[in-house]
Amino acid sequence: MKRRTLILLLLAGALPALSACGGGYDYTVHISEARSDIFRAETEEFTVTLSCISREYPYASDGIACPRTDLVEISLVPVAAEIADYSVYLLGEETVGGEASFRNAYGDWFYSESVESFPEGSVSLRIEWGDNVREIAATSVKTEETLTVEEALDAAVGSENELIGRMTRDGVFRGEFYVRLLQRDRTYYYVGIVDENGGTVSLLLDSETGAVLARRERIG
């Protein structure tokens, strides 16, 4: 369970911070989870996705942002079903990786590990299963026009002025944000705005313009 008193003190200390978001108020300190990049590779044998994520701990949708940890999450989906144990590795100055776990809910092999920094542009991955080893390059789904996490949050805050105002008391925003880059038919941003009761406004944004494409509200 989160320690509310500690978090409120942290938020109060963050008030002087300045940002392009919201006319001077730094809403980025209220981000609980951010997916800032996605790397994908497809071969005749599998599809691999690596996501760069910064996530609070403990993780809870309660309207209070805690300090975040940076991690990479790797998802591997074999083209053909076979009995095998997969290991995945992110290659670089320091190799990150290990044995992946199968997730029934997603039908993929999954690996997650904390990192000091995120890769950019493209990454080299090594896949091992049985006596097989493959090294592949995965490229980012982002382009020069793709908004940053901070810019996507700025667009969301700007489109929800009334909601943000209701969630602000004594000059402090009382909520948290999820900002996630998505890859579907093209790239989007999901921005979740969560209040202290767990109520959530979910926005789907154009990843280049920040325009709101869809909105959904769930009462906590």
Side-chain angles (χ1 to χ4, degrees), residues 129-201:
W129 73 106
D131 296 326
N132 303 293
V133 178
R134 300 286 187 274
E135 290 194 6
I136 59 176
T139 56
S140 172
V141 302
K142 295 170 64 174
T143 69
E144 292 182 356
E145 286 74 36
T146 304
L147 299 177
T148 64
V149 164
E150 294 77 14
E151 290 168 339
L153 177 60
D154 193 20
V157 169
S159 72
E160 294 290 332
N161 279 326
E162 183 177 344
L163 172 66
I164 299 299
R166 294 199 306 268
M167 294 174 64
T168 301
R169 299 191 303 277
D170 299 323
V172 178
F173 176 72
R174 311 288 179 163
E176 63 182 337
F177 299 102
Y178 301 144
V179 187
R180 302 170 183 146
L181 183 67
L182 304 176
Q183 170 68 18
R184 300 293 185 264
D185 55 322
R186 57 191 181 94
T187 56
Y188 303 90
Y189 268 105
Y190 164 83
V191 178
I193 307 173
V194 184
D195 64 29
E196 294 175 304
N197 298 314
T200 305
V201 169

Side-chain angles (χ1 to χ4, degrees), residues 14-192:
L15 281 175
L18 295 179
S19 154
C21 296
Y25 187 93
D26 186 5
Y27 288 98
T28 63
V29 300
H30 301 281
I31 295 177
S32 291
E33 181 183 77
R35 183 191 296 138
S36 56
D37 209 343
I38 301 171
F39 298 81
R40 287 178 57 84
E42 294 185 16
T43 73
E44 295 179 351
E45 297 167 307
F46 38 67
T47 298
V48 183
T49 304
L50 183 147
S51 300
C52 299
I53 296 174
S54 182
R55 180 180 293 144
E56 71 172 356
Y57 182 82
Y59 188 62
S61 182
D62 58 4
I64 302 173
C66 279
R68 292 179 285 161
T69 298
D70 292 339
L71 63 152
V72 293
E73 294 184 345
I74 304 174
S75 168
L76 181 146
V77 180
V79 172
E82 60 177 303
I83 300 175
D85 291 325
Y86 287 88
S87 294
V88 293
Y89 299 92
L90 170 62
L91 307 179
E93 293 183 5
E94 182 177 350
T95 298
V96 172
E99 185 176 347
S101 301
F102 184 72
R103 300 191 297 183
N104 284 304
Y106 297 92
D108 68 344
W109 294 84
F110 179 80
Y111 182 85
S112 175
E113 184 172 337
S114 61
V115 294
E116 294 295 327
S117 61
F118 292 133
E120 297 181 3
S122 65
V123 297
S124 296
L125 299 169
R126 185 173 74 244
I127 316 298
E128 299 178 0
W129 73 106
D131 296 326
N132 303 293
V133 178
R134 300 286 187 274
E135 290 194 6
I136 59 176
T139 56
S140 172
V141 302
K142 295 170 64 174
T143 69
E144 292 182 356
E145 286 74 36
T146 304
L147 299 177
T148 64
V149 164
E150 294 77 14
E151 290 168 339
L153 177 60
D154 193 20
V157 169
S159 72
E160 294 290 332
N161 279 326
E162 183 177 344
L163 172 66
I164 299 299
R166 294 199 306 268
M167 294 174 64
T168 301
R169 299 191 303 277
D170 299 323
V172 178
F173 176 72
R174 311 288 179 163
E176 63 182 337
F177 299 102
Y178 301 144
V179 187
R180 302 170 183 146
L181 183 67
L182 304 176
Q183 170 68 18
R184 300 293 185 264
D185 55 322
R186 57 191 181 94
T187 56
Y188 303 90
Y189 268 105
Y190 164 83
V191 178

Side-chain angles (χ1 to χ4, degrees), residues 186-189 203-207 209-215:
R186 57 191 181 94
T187 56
Y188 303 90
Y189 268 105
L203 304 175
L204 184 68
L205 307 183
D206 184 291
S207 67
T209 67
V212 177
L213 305 176
R215 184 185 190 277

